[in-house]
Amino acid sequence: MTAQTFGDGHRRALLIGTGAYDHPELPTLLSPQVDCARLTEVLRDPEVGQFEVQQLVDADRFTLERAIEEFFLTAQRDDVCLLYFSCHGVVNRSDKLYFAVRNTNPDRPAHSAISASFVHEVMDECRARSIVVVLDCCYSGLFIPGAKGSISAGFEEALAGHGRVIITAGTRVQRAWEGDHRDAETPALSRFTEALVEGLRSGEADLNGDALITVQELFRYASERLHQEGVEQTPRLGGEIQYDIALARVKKRRQRSSRSTGTKESRRRTASPRTRRQPEAPWRVSAASGPARQPVLSDGTLVVHEKYSLHVVDAESRRRYPLIQTNYVGSPAFHGGAAYLPGPGRWLRSVDLRTGKPRRSARLLVSDGLLGVFSDVLYAPSPDGSLHSIDLLSGDIRWSQPMEKPLIGCAPEVAAGNVIVMAEEPRPLGTTANHSGRHVVAVLAATGHPSWSYEPEGPLSPEWVVTDSGIYLVQQVAPSHQRIVAVDPTSGVPLWTFDTAADLAAAPAGVGGLVIFGDADNRLIALDAKSGAQLWERKTKGRLLTRPFSVGDTLFTADRAATVTAWKLPVGRRLRSYDILLSPDRQGRPAVTDDWLYLTDSRGAIHALHP
């Protein structure tokens, strides 16, 4: 069977995912949101799918049915139309299939869910000759007419229509499985959708090597992959297929330029600044084995911190350096191409990032994850509550100041000539104080002498922002919301407070005279850093995964809907977005330069994008 080429028609895709459900018998699904996001990424890729993609996640029944009608009834003869569902499949007593939406009642699906018959009827009115329906839901085999009475129905008689193809994640009696979620903040793709995405992204689904991936090739690839991985799903394919439908091209692999051909002419060209190749963008390189911290840019290297491991990559050549093993899980501090962290016995350890070999360092006991570097000085709290200032150029200890109280889970910060730390005062046994005993202490950066302290009215979160114009603390004032408190970094005097409507999703950011944060209800809010007045509020597609970050007058956010969004400051106008799911890092943020964004995705790979 020959494959249909890409042709002159539009390539359109409608992706529908529902993971949140009101009815207690329909458990929450974590995969649909990321299923749609990752499939969107590969289908939109101009070198792969070239599709125009619309995705709807957790939408209501009316919105979805209207979108399905519009999608099919506006199609033209030469268009390729791809409809995708990732959701619960519901079956009534007559074995009729329904696609569950947020408010579906599984006992009354006819009035609260999208029926498979509705989708069939709309497809019957579609002018397009090439229709592909992909269903990643339980009992999806029922969507294929003829599958009602048998697990292995006769698919060759399933549907009328030229090039109309149905791919289901399983049979009429099988469940479709989600991925292995590490936690709720890092959802995995559904097992079936993951196979589809990987086959398209990698090009491995091109089984005949003609640089095109057709519907049947993708189906066979996904089926074989699930079988090899031992997943108890048997995908099914049905439809009247008079020609195979080309879904994607195989992305061409860019060849790296030769380092040397052994000729003088080649060496002259390599050395010439006029012919030096500019770095390609975007690019991606493997780093960690799974979710990890956002990268840190240090002396031309990108460092991704995974538990007990530091993955180091050269930012220009993308060369990987030796893995650095750590003794504790806390994040190191970086300076001059070295990582500073507690070694065996909590003694301060310095490691060269490129070689992994030890460097000379002061002999001190230090606390894990609480080291900070500012202007060639390392500020290192010790387990006994002392704070040490170490000159990294000479290796000398500049001063040591007993703090009398242990520091909590955030590294020291420097602002307005002070070193700012959080301390926790031990409470006597039996005390039922209404706060955690945490407070903020400042010492002079030059001498270590006490400067001021601030006692909060409620429990403090370590997710703070410290700038020369203000320290912005986060307090828990109620089970459902928090309070941002601004404190003067020169005196510790409170400046203003702002009560949030919901808990913060990640640490706030101080950017261009604004304090910006995202909350658990997917709101992005900007406050005036001087007064605390709310300037604007925007809606994000999902809950933020990292602290907001900026390049010049452009703000970036990364959310659980696998979207990195650029916003114009100071007005908060949405500019553009990238389809990428980042690894969660509540207190961290991606590394940025004027030319690049460096991000860690949910699988531990580093991505480089132009801002």
Side-chain angles (χ1 to χ4, degrees):
M1 180 179 296
T2 60
Q4 173 208 30
T5 62
F6 270 27
D8 297 325
H10 292 286
R11 299 171 60 76
R12 306 163 66 234
L14 174 61
L15 312 183
I16 295 173
T18 304
Y21 298 91
D22 298 334
H23 200 281
E25 292 184 15
L26 294 175
T28 298
L29 299 175
L30 300 181
S31 290
Q33 189 175 62
V34 68
D35 283 342
C36 290
R38 294 291 296 279
L39 195 56
T40 294
E41 181 180 352
V42 72
L43 290 177
R44 275 183 181 165
D45 191 326
E47 296 184 70
V48 182
Q50 299 182 9
F51 276 86
E52 302 168 9
V53 183
Q54 176 188 10
Q55 57 172 315
L56 295 171
V57 177
D58 292 340
D60 59 74
R61 177 185 174 185
F62 174 78
T63 299
L64 293 177
E65 289 186 343
R66 184 175 60 181
I68 292 169
E69 280 190 318
E70 182 73 12
F71 178 69
F72 282 118
L73 298 186
T74 58
Q76 301 301 313
R77 175 182 174 84
D78 293 330
D79 291 353
V80 175
C81 298
L82 188 154
L83 175 65
Y84 168 87
F85 278 94
S86 177
C87 60
H88 279 302
V90 178
V91 180
N92 69 3
R93 296 176 182 177
S94 302
D95 271 358
K96 292 182 178 179
L97 174 67
Y98 295 84
F99 303 110
V101 298
R102 188 183 190 103
N103 61 345
T104 290
N105 181 347
D107 297 324
R108 299 289 188 272
H111 304 290
S112 59
I114 299 174
S115 68
S117 60
F118 164 78
V119 180
H120 273 294
E121 290 171 2
V122 177
M123 284 198 303
D124 286 341
E125 298 183 39
C126 181
R127 297 189 184 97
R129 295 184 303 160
S130 301
I131 298 175
V132 180
V133 179
V134 180
L135 308 178
D136 194 346
C137 56
C138 298
Y139 319 117
S140 56
L142 286 170
F143 189 80
I144 302 176
K148 180 178 179 180
S150 172
I151 293 178
S152 56
F155 299 128
E156 69 277 4
E157 299 177 355
L159 293 175
H162 299 289
R164 188 172 299 178
V165 186
I166 314 297
I167 297 178
T168 66
T171 69
R172 64 181 295 273
V173 296
Q174 285 183 325
R175 295 183 179 275
W177 299 101
E178 289 204 295
D180 297 326
H181 308 300
R182 293 175 181 264
D183 54 62
E185 296 296 325
T186 54
L189 289 161
S190 300
R191 301 303 296 271
F192 179 59
T193 298
E194 181 180 27
L196 299 179
V197 169
E198 183 59 25
L200 294 169
R201 185 193 64 79
S202 67
E204 292 179 2
D206 176 21
L207 303 182
N208 63 5
D210 65 352
L212 287 177
I213 298 174
T214 67
V215 170
Q216 293 202 67
E217 285 180 314
L218 184 60
F219 168 76
R220 291 199 297 271
Y221 170 85
S223 300
E224 181 62 25
R225 174 163 170 164
L226 292 179
H227 175 72
Q228 291 175 351
E229 295 177 353
V231 181
E232 296 181 0
Q233 283 178 233
T234 308
R236 294 296 184 185
L237 181 145
E240 183 180 320
I241 311 171
Q242 296 191 2
Y243 51 77
D244 208 352
I245 300 173
L247 282 183
R249 289 190 173 98
V250 176
K251 193 170 187 175
K252 293 181 180 179
R253 305 300 177 189
R254 293 184 173 92
Q255 297 182 351
R256 294 187 180 181
S257 59
S258 174
R259 296 191 180 274
S260 175
T261 63
T263 66
K264 294 182 179 179
E265 181 181 2
S266 173
R267 286 194 293 270
R268 285 197 300 269
R269 284 201 301 265
T270 303
S272 171
R274 293 186 178 181
T275 58
R276 185 178 300 163
R277 291 186 60 188
Q278 296 298 316
E280 298 171 353
W283 55 259
R284 173 183 179 273
V285 64
S286 296
S289 59
R293 297 292 300 269
Q294 289 303 309
V296 173
L297 184 61
S298 175
D299 195 39
T301 64
L302 292 163
V303 187
V304 173
H305 180 210
E306 193 176 18
K307 279 188 177 181
Y308 302 106
S309 299
L310 298 180
H311 304 267
V312 186
V313 177
D314 188 277
E316 184 175 351
S317 68
R318 308 172 211 172
R319 171 191 173 191
R320 287 197 59 144
Y321 293 111
L323 183 70
I324 298 174
Q325 299 289 351
T326 63
N327 298 90
Y328 301 92
V329 298
S331 296
F334 301 96
H335 178 269
Y340 293 85
L341 64 163
R346 296 190 182 273
W347 293 101
L348 179 63
R349 175 188 177 201
S350 176
V351 182
D352 189 285
L353 291 174
R354 288 180 169 82
T355 65
K357 295 181 179 180
R359 288 189 182 183
R360 181 184 175 186
S361 60
R363 186 166 175 78
L364 287 172
L365 290 173
V366 295
S367 298
D368 180 38
L370 301 181
L371 304 178
V373 173
F374 302 89
S375 301
D376 301 324
V377 178
L378 173 68
Y379 296 98
S382 60
D384 65 1
S386 296
L387 179 65
H388 306 279
S389 172
I390 304 164
D391 188 323
L392 292 178
L393 299 181
S394 66
D396 298 332
I397 299 177
R398 300 168 65 237
W399 51 258
S400 297
Q401 174 66 41
M403 304 298 291
E404 298 181 359
K405 303 174 183 67
L407 305 182
I408 64 169
C410 49
E413 300 278 355
V414 174
N418 290 317
V419 184
I420 318 293
V421 298
M422 277 191 188
E424 182 168 4
E425 183 175 1
R427 289 175 291 174
L429 292 175
T431 300
T432 57
N434 62 357
H435 60 80
S436 64
R438 297 174 181 172
H439 61 281
V440 182
V441 176
V443 299
L444 295 175
T447 63
H449 294 157
S451 179
W452 55 260
S453 64
Y454 168 72
E455 186 76 31
E457 296 180 357
L460 281 183
S461 163
E463 297 167 348
W464 62 350
V465 181
V466 178
T467 71
D468 284 332
S469 58
I471 302 170
Y472 306 98
L473 304 168
V474 179
Q475 295 179 4
Q476 194 74 41
V477 294
S480 59
H481 73 275
Q482 295 172 304
R483 174 177 296 155
I484 296 177
V485 179
V487 175
D488 189 326
T490 63
S491 63
V493 174
L495 301 174
W496 52 260
T497 64
F498 179 88
D499 283 9
T500 67
D503 283 348
L504 272 64
V511 178
L514 305 176
V515 176
I516 300 177
F517 64 92
D519 69 15
D521 291 333
N522 301 348
R523 287 183 291 255
L524 181 67
I525 296 173
L527 309 179
D528 182 86
K530 292 183 178 179
S531 66
Q534 181 172 327
L535 301 180
W536 49 260
E537 176 182 316
R538 303 290 182 263
K539 199 73 172 175
T540 59
K541 291 184 178 180
R543 186 179 298 184
L544 296 195
L545 292 169
T546 73
R547 186 194 299 262
F549 54 102
S550 66
V551 180
D553 61 355
T554 303
L555 176 77
F556 291 89
T557 57
D559 60 45
R560 287 184 57 186
T563 305
V564 175
T565 305
W567 312 81
K568 181 68 174 179
L569 290 177
V571 296
R573 176 168 55 87
R574 191 189 302 266
L575 298 175
R576 58 190 176 278
S577 63
Y578 308 86
D579 295 318
I580 178 174
L581 179 64
L582 295 200
S583 185
D585 191 349
R586 288 181 61 97
Q587 298 188 54
R589 56 191 165 201
V592 299
T593 68
D594 290 340
D595 300 317
W596 296 96
L597 304 179
Y598 298 107
L599 319 99
T600 306
D601 72 15
S602 59
R603 297 194 175 193
I606 299 175
H607 293 250
L609 305 174
H610 278 311

